[in-house]
């Protein structure tokens, strides 16, 4: 048998053989002639037009050959931080400090009672709305900035750090020692009318006016989120002036649209100067180095004056959060930062769009494709694809995905993902990280197969039905 015949000779011999047979054989012969002719057209089309992997090549590196340095850290095994670490443990007895307002009643002294007149009853004070304090008795007297309490006829008493019972005993002894009250008459009443408070600023970028906490449509492309911040000035009572109470007063823990951390910026002048000096020194060094055209500057390092409190950590890791870290003072700022830059982009045969990455779990390339509306093993919907758009008839799905990942100094690496291998090999299924661009393409053989199948169903079946 001669195997070196040209396709035209094979067609001629097949036609001659089928012309000697009956009608159905003749029909099959014509159909076969159409298929062989389609093969010739396929070869011509390939040589003239080429496939997208040839006309739009991407030089990728297989995912299982990439260094781990190019992949993000997994998040699936992170566990939430115990939120009790963000709250202060109040003392058993309230300890006084500047700006506390006490209710003090001293019979015969406060208020002054003329001789031979019945003593006046102490006034009763009801707490403000939302206060947890019980009703109090006595005349309001504030603890001074120096921690002293000024009372009639005696020197100011140092009460900072004392409990109410200790202050009551100290007042009683002071009036006895000064021969103002007899021991049996010295029965002062000391209560607390209002606790001292701390003014803290909370800035949150994890909510908007639309009521959607995330501000994003997690099942489709992003819809133009609003990064306007909410929050404001919060007054926190003493021993509740911590990060957890500041969050509770402004809506709770950070939402899904916020980063898994809390920033605390101190209001002291020393911390402000430290932050300003840090940025000034960093940018001065950057400007000096930019004179070298080959210079690749490092990313902006963490500001040491900003306290960052993580909300999720590795199992078994206990974050080093001291009581001083979570204690807030007047003017301190609690900042919840938006994570709107944690997105990835799609293109090629994937519907183009911008999608937000999940905050608390990993997303691999197969999940990212599903999020973009392209399930694994399905033909590229609405993309046409293939030579002449025949893939809609052929139905062979695209099998090559490229991840365009940014590297330092405006560089880029293309990671090649063979979708057929990625189904069975997790190492060929890399995680998506912020800034990635996912490009879905046909392999050259897939486009050719789609074109051949499409041509067969278009011309071969037509020839069969014609006869």
């Amino acid at each position: 048998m001669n195997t070196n015949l040209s396709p035209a000779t094979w067609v001629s011999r097949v036609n001659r053989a089928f012309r000697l047979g009956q009608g159905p054989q003749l029909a099959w012969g014509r159909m076969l002639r159409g298929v062989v002719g389609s093969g010739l057209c396929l070869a011509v089309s390939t040589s003239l037009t080429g496939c997208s992997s040839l006309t739009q090549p991407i030089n990728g590196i297989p995912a299982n050959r990439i260094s781990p340095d190019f992949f993000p850290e997994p998040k699936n095994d992170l566990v939430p931080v115990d939120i009790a670490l963000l709250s202060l443990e109040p003392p058993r007895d309230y300890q006084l400090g500047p700006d506390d307002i006490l209710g003090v009643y001293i019979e015969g002294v406060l208020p002054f009672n003329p001789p031979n007149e019945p003593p006046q009853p102490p006034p009763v004070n009801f707490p403000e709305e939302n206060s947890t304090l019980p009703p109090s008795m006595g005349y309001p007297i504030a603890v001074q900035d120096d921690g002293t309490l000024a009372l009639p006829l005696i020197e100011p008493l140092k009460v900072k750090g004392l409990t109410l019972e200790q202050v009551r005993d100290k007042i009683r002894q002071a009036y006895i020692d000064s021969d103002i009250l007899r021991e049996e008459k010295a029965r002062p009443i000391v209560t607390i009318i209002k606790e001292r408070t701390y003014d803290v600023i909370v800035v949150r970028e994890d909510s908007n006016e639309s009521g959607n906490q995330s501000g994003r449509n997690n099942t489709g492309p992003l819809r133009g989120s609003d990064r306007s911040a909410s929050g404001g000035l919060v007054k926190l009572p003493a021993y509740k002036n911590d990060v957890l109470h500041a969050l509770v007063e402004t809506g709770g823990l950070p939402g899904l649209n916020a980063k898994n951390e809390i920033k605390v910026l101190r209001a002291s002048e020393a911390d402000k100067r430290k932050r300003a000096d840090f940025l000034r020194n960093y940018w001065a060094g950057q400007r000096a180095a930019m004179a070298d055209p080959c210079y690749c500057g490092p990313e902006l390092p963490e500001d040491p004056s900003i306290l960052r409190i993580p909300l999720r950590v590795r199992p078994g890791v206990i974050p080093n959060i001291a009581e001083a870290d979570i204690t807030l003072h007047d003017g301190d700022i609690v900042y919840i930062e938006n994570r709107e830059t944690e997105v990835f982009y799609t293109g090629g045969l994937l519907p183009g769009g911008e999608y937000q990455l999940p905050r608390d779990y990993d997303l691999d390339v197969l999940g990212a494709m599903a999020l973009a509306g392209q399930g694994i093993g399905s033909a590229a919907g609405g993309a046409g694809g293939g030579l002449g758009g025949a893939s809609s008839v052929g139905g062979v799905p695209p099998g090559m995905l490229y991840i365009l990942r940014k590297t330092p100094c405006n560089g880029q690496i293309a990671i090649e993902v063979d979708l057929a291998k990625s189904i069975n090999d997790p190492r060929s299924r890399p995680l998506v990280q912020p800034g990635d661009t996912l490009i879905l393409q046909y392999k050259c053989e897939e486009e050719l197969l789609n074109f051949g199948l499409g041509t067969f169903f278009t011309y071969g079946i037509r020839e069969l039905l014609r006869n």
Side-chain angles (χ1 to χ4, degrees):
M1 180 177 178
N2 187 1
T3 59
N4 296 323
L5 298 178
S6 65
T9 304
W10 276 108
V11 172
S12 176
R13 291 190 178 186
V14 171
N15 286 338
R16 187 182 303 113
F18 276 98
R19 277 198 298 270
L20 297 177
Q22 302 301 322
Q25 294 173 329
L26 180 60
W28 281 105
R30 290 184 176 180
M31 185 183 71
L32 180 59
R33 186 167 65 247
V35 172
V36 174
S38 299
L40 293 175
C41 294
L42 176 62
V44 173
S45 299
T46 303
S47 62
L48 295 178
T49 309
C51 58
S52 60
S53 60
L54 297 178
T55 59
Q56 299 175 356
I58 299 177
N59 298 323
I61 304 174
N64 56 2
R65 299 182 184 177
I66 299 293
S67 169
D69 296 336
F70 290 98
F71 294 101
E73 291 289 335
K75 298 182 291 187
N76 280 343
D77 59 344
L78 297 181
V79 295
V81 170
D82 182 5
I83 61 174
L85 297 175
L86 308 180
S87 178
L88 293 173
E89 181 180 0
R92 178 173 299 180
D93 296 314
Y94 187 87
Q95 296 176 354
L96 299 178
D99 297 329
D100 281 330
I101 299 179
L102 303 181
V104 181
Y105 175 78
I106 306 172
E107 183 180 344
V109 177
L110 189 64
F112 174 72
N113 187 47
N116 303 323
E117 288 189 12
Q120 299 181 16
V124 178
N125 308 289
F126 293 94
E128 298 179 351
E129 187 179 0
N130 300 325
S131 175
T132 58
L133 293 175
S136 58
M137 298 175 60
Y139 293 90
I141 298 179
V143 179
Q144 305 300 313
D145 292 340
D146 58 357
T148 61
L149 188 68
L151 295 173
L153 306 177
I154 60 174
E155 294 293 328
L157 301 176
K158 193 73 174 180
V159 297
K160 182 179 179 181
L162 301 182
T163 65
L164 291 178
E165 184 177 355
Q166 291 171 335
V167 171
R168 187 181 304 115
D169 294 339
K170 194 168 187 178
I171 293 174
R172 178 177 183 275
Q173 194 62 42
Y175 278 98
I176 294 175
D177 293 343
S178 301
D179 292 330
I180 299 175
L181 293 176
R182 295 195 300 270
E183 190 169 345
E184 65 274 11
K185 290 289 187 179
R187 296 189 298 270
I189 297 175
V190 181
T191 58
I192 184 166
I193 296 178
K194 185 178 180 181
E195 302 163 302
R196 61 186 182 275
T197 58
Y198 298 87
D199 295 337
V200 177
I201 299 174
V202 180
V203 180
R204 306 185 63 129
E205 293 179 348
D206 60 341
S207 61
N208 57 27
E209 296 179 358
S210 66
N212 179 9
Q213 190 178 26
S214 68
R216 302 282 173 89
N217 181 0
N218 289 329
T219 60
L222 301 187
R223 307 297 184 185
S225 63
D226 181 12
R227 189 169 174 165
S228 59
S230 63
L233 184 65
V234 180
K235 290 184 175 294
L236 300 176
Y239 302 114
K240 295 181 181 179
N241 55 317
D242 51 50
V243 172
L244 182 59
H245 282 89
L247 296 178
V248 171
E249 290 291 330
T250 55
L253 294 175
L256 295 177
N257 199 35
K259 292 184 177 181
N260 249 326
E261 67 175 10
I262 302 170
K263 293 183 179 180
V264 179
L265 288 75
R266 301 298 182 184
S268 66
E269 290 298 327
D271 286 299
K272 291 179 181 179
R273 287 193 298 269
K274 188 184 300 183
R275 287 193 291 271
D277 293 340
F278 168 78
L279 291 175
R280 189 182 301 109
N281 295 335
Y282 173 78
W283 289 114
Q286 289 293 96
R287 284 192 295 269
M290 286 178 185
D292 183 1
C294 298
Y295 172 72
C296 177
E299 296 182 358
L300 180 66
E302 296 289 345
D303 190 336
S305 65
I306 298 178
L307 173 65
R308 297 175 183 266
I309 302 175
L311 296 180
R312 292 175 71 87
V313 295
R314 300 286 173 196
V317 175
I318 301 178
N320 185 20
I321 303 176
E323 184 175 291
D325 295 335
I326 62 172
T327 303
L328 303 175
H329 303 282
D330 285 329
D332 286 351
I333 300 173
V334 177
Y335 181 37
I336 308 298
E337 187 177 2
N338 190 290
R339 63 181 192 95
E340 70 171 3
T341 57
E342 296 183 7
V343 297
F344 69 94
Y345 306 91
T346 56
L349 297 176
L350 290 174
E354 180 188 66
Y355 300 84
Q356 188 172 44
L357 288 168
R359 188 190 69 171
D360 298 331
Y361 60 90
D362 296 324
L363 183 71
D364 60 24
V365 290
L366 300 187
M369 289 177 58
L371 190 63
Q374 178 70 26
I376 183 67
S378 61
L387 299 174
S391 65
S392 59
V393 180
V396 177
M400 187 61 68
L401 182 74
Y402 294 95
I403 305 174
L404 306 184
R405 180 160 295 173
K406 296 179 181 179
T407 58
C409 299
N410 298 321
Q412 175 181 284
I413 184 174
I415 303 174
E416 181 182 287
V417 180
D418 190 318
L419 296 180
K421 294 180 179 179
S422 68
I423 296 176
N424 301 309
D425 185 8
R427 295 176 301 173
S428 300
R429 205 161 56 231
L431 301 179
V432 181
Q433 73 178 28
D436 282 353
T437 300
L438 275 56
I439 306 294
L440 181 63
Q441 283 190 351
Y442 283 106
K443 298 178 183 178
C444 190
E445 59 269 25
E446 292 167 347
E447 274 195 289
L448 296 179
L449 185 57
N450 273 327
F451 180 83
L453 292 174
T455 305
F456 169 77
F457 282 105
T458 302
Y459 300 104
I461 300 299
R462 185 180 66 185
E463 290 294 326
L464 177 63
L465 296 176
R466 180 183 296 174
N467 296 279

